[in-house]
Amino acid sequence: GITFNQESFETGFGKEFKLIITKTDPLLEKEVELLFLARDNDALLDNAGELKDVLCGRLKIKFIKNIEYVDLNLKFNNLANNQVLAHAMVESYKVEGAFTYEQSFLHGQKLPQPSTLVRKKQVYLKNLALYSGDIDGDDGPGTKTAFKSFWINRAYDTEKFTQEQLLKGIEKEDGNRCTDENGEIKFKILKSALIGSDVVLTISLKDIQSSLLTNNYTDSIQIKIKKNTAVFESFDGIDVSDTGIVEINVNALCTCSRGLTETDFQNLAPNATASDRDSYLNGINIVCNDFGIHTCLEKAHFIAQVLHESANLSATAESNVSATAYGGFPGRGLMQLTYESTYQAYGDFVGDNFTKIENRQKLETAPHSYLSAGWIYTVGKKNDPYNAAKNDDFLEVTARINGAFNGFNDRKTKLTTCKNYLKDLCSEEMLNNNIYNFEDSGISSNTIYSFAWGIWHDSKFTCKSGVTKDDDKAIDGYQKVVDTSTTRRDTYDMTNEDEFSEFKVTENGNEHVYIRTVATQRKNSLEGVNEDESEENNINPINN
């Protein structure tokens, strides 16, 4: 906690010397004894250097804490659209200079607001690990001890304050260190950290919405503070005045830790018009922030699927379908929500009723056109596409969104475009991957998706399009179905398509197509197995 300007020096009897002792830790509070040891100078010709480490002086110094803070007023801008980052929380900060000092605000996440003051403080102190009792609103010994510990840790003499004053003091201590609606936040830093040497202030930001669920969005921002000046220089070179106001642009290279810029969106969606990109840039950033789609890999998958579903941001309503399609609830929004139950579930989520005829078209315009996309991708699909994207499982992402593999080639092309741009910005290795194998995908353990993989790749079924036909891949999907005892039937509109007519069976006057029958017969046919050689084909699929 202390340093010297020199640790050895040459002097002589009766001469003065100056030793500068600097306390580098402002929180140092202890008595230090310095011992001055002398030895002969061996270089002198008339001295043999016999005297070594002779104690010739003793000095005791008592250090006391000097806690003086500087208020920092910070304003954070999101360079994605030059708007303030109003959903950020300072998680911690570190000062590195003459000494290192760290302050953590992990307790700063949104806290419940109990009805009584004591309950509120108990929650606050529990997050600080100062209180371990129940959140019961009882101002008992445990609570009082925790209150005192809070202030003692901050070098306050608690005997000078009443319990009520301590309570009020904690309330004034801003534990929820989140940026306000203007992207501004105020917090304190030790003044002594800014004296004597250049200082690097590293601030760790965390997104509030996702931090309550996950820890996957953190952006470290550096502010360089020059020695003996009041001018702060942010990490991206933007200067600020000596008023103490620091304006930081969150423009980290990698999009894992910031919103998308116009340049980003132009590269991610090159086939969209400039007008459509401008219309949806802010909305896509809001969705990614609010629904926890933060990393470059997650954004690549999400944006690729949105671009396909919306025909490159040009359509928020499904074309060429009747008003009665999907029970009167055709695809709407950037991710094409369908069916009444989905409309209703999204309405429940945002607090509106989209099953009403007059409200359904709201899904076609902002903000619901893009919010519904984030919702269906995460909440509405039980996080399945989102979780698959984190594993770079493109096959499962597509299957979870589409239910099968319509537009598979286009979706993959768009994902490749997104990855090719983002991999130059981000170190995530999976951004370099463009090979997605059936066996490695989550769909290989799902009977229905495996069957879809088969019929969409099967050259026989031209009615299933959007995928380059590949009979070997079709066999892979069919094999998974054959290995099960499923009795699923009438999937993927097979009873209405002529190409499946040879597989139909009549039961109680109704026609059905069993997926295991299709999978077994098509697998055998593609592998050149004669029907007479296949005992499997002689088994009634109903009894399997």
Side-chain angles (χ1 to χ4, degrees):
I2 58 176
T3 60
F4 311 99
N5 65 324
Q6 53 188 341
E7 295 206 5
S8 64
F9 47 89
E10 183 175 317
T11 185
F13 181 77
K15 293 183 180 181
E16 293 183 355
F17 62 89
K18 183 178 182 180
L19 177 65
I20 300 176
I21 304 170
T22 304
K23 185 178 75 162
T24 58
D25 183 356
L27 301 182
L28 181 66
E29 186 174 23
K30 63 174 62 177
E31 187 174 88
V32 177
E33 184 177 63
L34 305 181
L35 302 180
F36 292 86
L37 303 176
R39 64 172 56 186
D40 288 340
N41 187 335
D42 294 338
L44 296 178
L45 296 177
D46 59 349
N47 191 305
E50 294 178 353
L51 301 179
K52 297 177 185 280
D53 298 334
V54 177
L55 179 64
C56 62
R58 194 185 294 257
L59 179 64
K60 287 186 177 181
I61 304 175
K62 185 174 183 178
F63 293 98
I64 61 173
K65 291 181 182 179
N66 59 311
I67 302 178
E68 187 177 358
Y69 294 95
V70 173
D71 289 326
L72 288 185
N73 302 327
L74 306 180
K75 181 175 181 180
F76 297 95
N77 280 343
N78 186 343
L79 197 65
N81 46 26
N82 202 28
Q83 293 185 0
V84 295
L85 188 65
H87 292 291
M89 178 182 74
V90 175
E91 183 181 32
S92 61
Y93 71 84
K94 178 191 287 188
V95 179
E96 296 173 281
F99 66 95
T100 298
Y101 178 76
E102 295 186 61
Q103 174 67 59
S104 175
F105 296 130
L106 292 178
H107 59 281
Q109 294 184 355
K110 275 188 172 178
L111 302 178
Q113 301 297 313
S115 58
T116 67
L117 183 62
V118 174
R119 284 176 58 86
K120 180 176 180 181
K121 302 317 169 193
Q122 286 175 331
V123 173
Y124 180 84
L125 292 165
K126 198 157 194 172
N127 279 275
L128 284 174
L130 294 175
Y131 177 67
S132 59
D134 295 330
I135 309 300
D136 54 12
D138 181 14
D139 187 16
T143 306
K144 285 183 168 65
T145 299
F147 289 154
K148 286 192 174 184
S149 297
F150 176 90
W151 289 110
I152 290 172
N153 291 346
R154 285 154 178 76
Y156 281 84
D157 184 355
T158 57
E159 301 305 320
K160 295 180 180 179
F161 296 90
T162 66
Q163 187 69 15
E164 184 62 26
Q165 286 174 318
L166 289 177
L167 281 169
K168 289 182 178 178
I170 296 177
E171 189 166 25
K172 293 176 182 176
E173 183 81 7
D174 184 12
N176 193 10
R177 298 174 182 275
C178 306
T179 55
D180 61 18
E181 64 274 11
N182 298 313
E184 296 179 353
I185 189 170
K186 299 179 180 179
F187 68 104
K188 298 178 184 297
I189 185 173
L190 284 170
K191 184 176 181 179
S192 53
L194 310 178
I195 299 174
S197 65
D198 290 348
V199 168
V200 175
L201 170 62
T202 303
I203 298 176
S204 179
L205 286 180
K206 177 172 283 191
D207 170 72
I208 296 172
Q209 300 298 325
S210 68
S211 69
L212 298 178
L213 301 174
T214 62
N215 295 314
N216 63 356
Y217 182 85
T218 303
D219 188 18
S220 293
I221 300 172
Q222 287 188 345
I223 305 174
K224 297 176 182 177
I225 306 172
K226 297 300 182 182
K227 180 173 62 177
N228 298 327
T229 70
V231 177
F232 300 89
E233 181 184 343
S234 66
F235 78 107
D236 59 354
I238 295 180
D239 242 300
V240 295
S241 68
D242 56 6
T243 61
I245 303 295
V246 184
E247 185 163 328
I248 306 170
N249 284 319
V250 185
N251 65 344
L253 183 64
C254 174
T255 68
C256 289
S257 52
R258 61 167 173 81
L260 301 174
T261 66
E262 290 182 9
T263 301
D264 293 331
F265 213 26
Q266 183 178 353
N267 283 279
L268 294 170
N271 295 323
T273 66
S275 176
D276 286 336
R277 285 196 300 266
D278 290 343
S279 297
Y280 284 108
L281 174 58
N282 185 51
I284 292 295
N285 277 326
I286 289 173
V287 167
C288 289
N289 183 65
D290 289 354
F291 290 94
I293 305 167
H294 292 311
T295 69
C296 289
L297 182 65
E298 293 164 7
K299 289 176 180 176
H301 279 275
F302 175 69
I303 291 171
Q305 296 291 337
V306 163
L307 291 174
H308 174 80
E309 294 285 330
S310 64
N312 295 309
L313 306 176
S314 67
T316 56
E318 192 171 3
S319 59
N320 301 320
V321 296
S322 67
T324 59
Y326 303 98
F329 295 87
R332 288 190 171 100
L334 288 179
M335 198 71 84
Q336 301 295 316
L337 271 64
T338 54
Y339 294 107
E340 181 178 5
S341 60
T342 309
Y343 277 48
Q344 182 173 344
Y346 174 68
D348 292 341
F349 180 78
V350 298
D352 204 344
N353 186 354
F354 290 94
T355 62
K356 292 182 178 179
I357 294 178
E358 63 270 22
N359 283 349
R360 295 176 193 176
Q361 289 186 333
K362 286 183 179 180
L363 288 168
E364 300 175 22
T365 57
H368 298 296
S369 55
Y370 54 79
L371 290 179
S372 62
W375 173 84
I376 193 66
Y377 191 75
T378 56
V379 181
K381 295 285 187 179
K382 300 179 181 179
N383 264 333
D384 287 338
Y386 170 70
N387 289 329
K390 290 200 287 188
N391 295 322
D392 197 30
D393 191 342
F394 165 65
L395 274 59
E396 185 171 3
V397 173
T398 298
R400 295 292 182 183
I401 291 173
N402 178 249
F405 301 98
N406 288 315
F408 180 86
N409 287 356
D410 184 60
R411 295 173 200 264
K412 185 177 179 182
T413 297
K414 287 175 165 51
L415 177 59
T416 300
T417 298
C418 291
K419 281 188 168 185
N420 284 344
Y421 172 69
L422 293 173
K423 70 182 182 183
D424 292 333
L425 308 180
C426 185
S427 60
E428 170 56 68
E429 281 297 322
M430 286 188 283
L431 289 170
N432 295 299
N433 177 49
N434 196 33
I435 299 175
Y436 312 99
N437 295 317
F438 171 78
E439 288 291 341
D440 298 329
S441 171
I443 69 168
S444 64
S445 60
N446 183 299
T447 303
I448 296 300
Y449 292 154
S450 294
F451 179 69
W453 183 258
I455 62 176
W456 255 266
H457 281 89
D458 194 333
S459 58
K460 174 180 176 64
F461 302 119
T462 59
C463 58
K464 304 303 180 186
S465 60
V467 183
T468 301
K469 297 299 183 180
D470 187 324
D471 289 339
D472 289 336
K473 291 182 178 180
I475 293 172
D476 292 337
Y478 290 145
Q479 183 65 59
K480 294 292 182 179
V481 181
V482 172
D483 290 341
T484 70
S485 58
T486 179
T487 57
R488 289 288 296 268
R489 64 187 185 184
D490 305 337
T491 306
Y492 301 123
D493 204 32
M494 292 185 296
T495 57
N496 298 321
E497 293 172 334
D498 292 339
E499 291 176 348
F500 291 91
S501 59
E502 66 186 89
F503 305 100
K504 290 180 180 179
V505 294
T506 302
E507 299 170 4
N508 300 322
N510 297 314
E511 290 185 328
H512 299 294
V513 178
Y514 286 85
I515 69 171
R516 193 157 182 263
T517 300
V518 176
T520 302
Q521 293 186 14
R522 285 304 300 155
K523 173 180 176 293
N524 290 337
S525 176
L526 292 172
E527 290 180 333
V529 177
N530 188 290
E531 285 193 18
D532 294 335
E533 299 173 355
S534 175
E535 181 180 351
E536 188 73 34
N537 282 338
N538 294 325
I539 299 176
N540 187 333
I542 303 175
N543 297 322
N544 286 346

